[in-house]
Amino acid sequence: ISEEVFGAFRFDPSGRQAYCGDVIVELTSIEFELALFLFKNAGKLISREVIANVVWGRPVSELSRTIDTHVSRIRKKLNLAPENGYRLQPVYNAGYRLEQVLAGPFHAA
């Protein structure tokens, strides 16, 4: 499988590597799966149930704080902030949405 590119972010599924620009971002296997899933579904509200089933293969009840913890780690490690072109937002009682933001040096027109 070839690399998946989302603005400044690249994911190499075969090598399980994530990049921000040319810098390798160290992610655990679960963080990698979750980040790639969120980027592939950018702009969509992804429920906690869907995240739990797709990434962990288990119901959300077993993973309540685990999902939040992993999302927080991904946000920090990938520096998902408007200045880098993406924002990862929690949606109260619903899930998460990764949004492309029209700002920053890496904005892809």
Side-chain angles (χ1 to χ4, degrees):
I1 301 173
S2 62
E3 285 188 342
E4 305 247 10
V5 179
F6 308 90
F9 299 95
R10 291 184 295 127
F11 295 87
D12 175 9
S14 59
R16 315 271 308 155
Q17 285 289 296
Y19 302 85
C20 180
D22 292 326
V23 178
I24 293 175
V25 179
E26 296 295 331
L27 298 177
T28 67
S29 181
I30 289 287
E31 290 167 351
F32 181 89
E33 289 299 321
L34 179 55
L36 183 56
F37 180 69
L38 290 169
F39 271 95
K40 284 182 173 181
N41 291 282
K44 298 178 188 171
L45 172 60
I46 308 296
S47 73
R48 295 166 56 82
E49 290 78 14
V50 168
I51 291 171
N53 286 321
V54 169
V55 177
W56 280 270
R58 295 192 301 229
V60 74
S61 60
E62 298 177 25
L63 302 164
S64 58
R65 292 298 300 157
T66 300
I67 293 171
D68 299 331
T69 300
H70 281 79
V71 166
S72 176
R73 287 181 189 155
I74 287 168
R75 185 183 291 115
K76 287 178 186 144
K77 287 183 177 184
L78 291 174
N79 195 19
L80 295 175
E83 58 269 19
N84 285 327
Y86 283 90
R87 164 177 53 221
L88 182 53
Q89 296 285 107
V91 178
Y92 185 71
N93 277 342
Y96 291 92
R97 180 182 291 121
L98 180 66
E99 299 173 318
Q100 190 166 13
V101 181
L102 303 181
F106 300 122
H107 171 64

